[in-house]
Each structure stands twice: as C-alpha cells, then as structure tokens.
C-alpha cells in the first residue's frame, strides 16, 4: 500500500523551467546539473545566460523533478554559491519532449 501511495505523486510527468542566480558560471554548474538530472532519470537542458545565471528546463516524473528543484535551490556544484533558484511555466505533459539532458552552449 505504501508503494502505491508514494507512486501517487510520481506518476504524472511535469515540465518546469528554471533559472539559478549566484556564482553559478565557471564552477562546473552545468556539468553537475546534467549529472544529477541523469542520475534522477530526468530529461531537459541547461545553459549559461549572458547575464551570469544558469537556466534550463527539467522534465520527468513529478517526484524526481522536485528532487532536482531542491538540488538546484540548495546544492549545486561544489564550488557554486546559489543565491536564488526560480521556477516557472510548470505544467503537466503527456510525454517527454527531450530524449536526454543536454548542456546547451
């Protein structure tokens, strides 16, 4: 029964955009984000912006997406200093729109 309960939130797929501010460029933030996303089985992308932040999109089971959101908010790469993580455009999706998690230039 517990497994079925835990499955409840994780069944639907969601897509969410994110932008992380702080010391997040030049500290392997994208590489670590990609590694964490792959570990969680998520798809999407990450890229540096011209104004010193890192942005991207995450897609996957709701519970796993929440885990990566928490990681983006609090953890990041070892050398990073996260001041803010903003999430937007969250929506349920019927199918994943990406095949893997990519670092975009």
């Amino acid at each position: 029964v517990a497994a079925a309960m835990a499955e409840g939130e994780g069944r639907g797929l969601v897509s969410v955009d994110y932008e992380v501010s702080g010391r997040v460029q030049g500290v392997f933030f994208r590489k670590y984000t990609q590694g964490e996303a792959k570990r969680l089985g998520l798809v999407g992308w990450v890229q540096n912006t011209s104004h010193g932040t890192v942005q991207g999109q995450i897609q996957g089971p709701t519970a796993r997406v929440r885990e990566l959101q928490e990681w983006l908010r609090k953890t990041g790469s070892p050398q990073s200093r996260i001041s803010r993580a903003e999430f937007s455009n969250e929506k349920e999706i019927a199918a994943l729109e990406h095949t893997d998690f990519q670092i975009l230039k």
Side-chain angles (χ1 to χ4, degrees):
V1 177
M5 293 288 288
E7 198 57 36
E9 188 177 52
R11 193 176 299 119
L13 295 174
V14 294
S15 173
V16 66
D17 297 343
Y18 62 90
E19 183 167 12
V20 184
S21 311
R23 195 170 123 216
V24 292
Q25 290 192 6
V27 291
F28 301 103
F29 199 91
R30 292 173 301 168
K31 187 173 170 48
Y32 275 87
T33 300
Q34 181 188 49
E36 189 66 11
K38 286 181 182 260
R39 187 182 73 76
L40 290 167
L42 299 171
V43 300
W45 52 273
V46 60
Q47 70 179 16
N48 285 338
T49 70
S50 58
H51 51 275
T53 64
V54 169
Q55 69 177 16
Q57 186 176 70
I58 317 164
Q59 294 186 346
T62 307
R64 295 289 172 90
V65 168
R66 293 284 174 263
E67 282 188 60
L68 189 59
Q69 285 179 296
E70 193 68 2
W71 184 91
L72 287 166
R73 198 178 279 123
K74 301 219 169 95
T75 310
S77 65
Q79 250 95 83
S80 67
R81 294 286 176 277
I82 300 164
S83 59
R84 192 167 77 231
E86 294 177 272
F87 301 99
S88 58
N89 301 325
E90 181 166 324
K91 58 184 189 283
E92 286 188 28
I93 52 174
L96 299 173
E97 295 159 353
H98 308 283
T99 51
D100 58 6
F101 197 94
Q102 293 181 300
I103 295 175
L104 303 182
K105 291 288 178 268

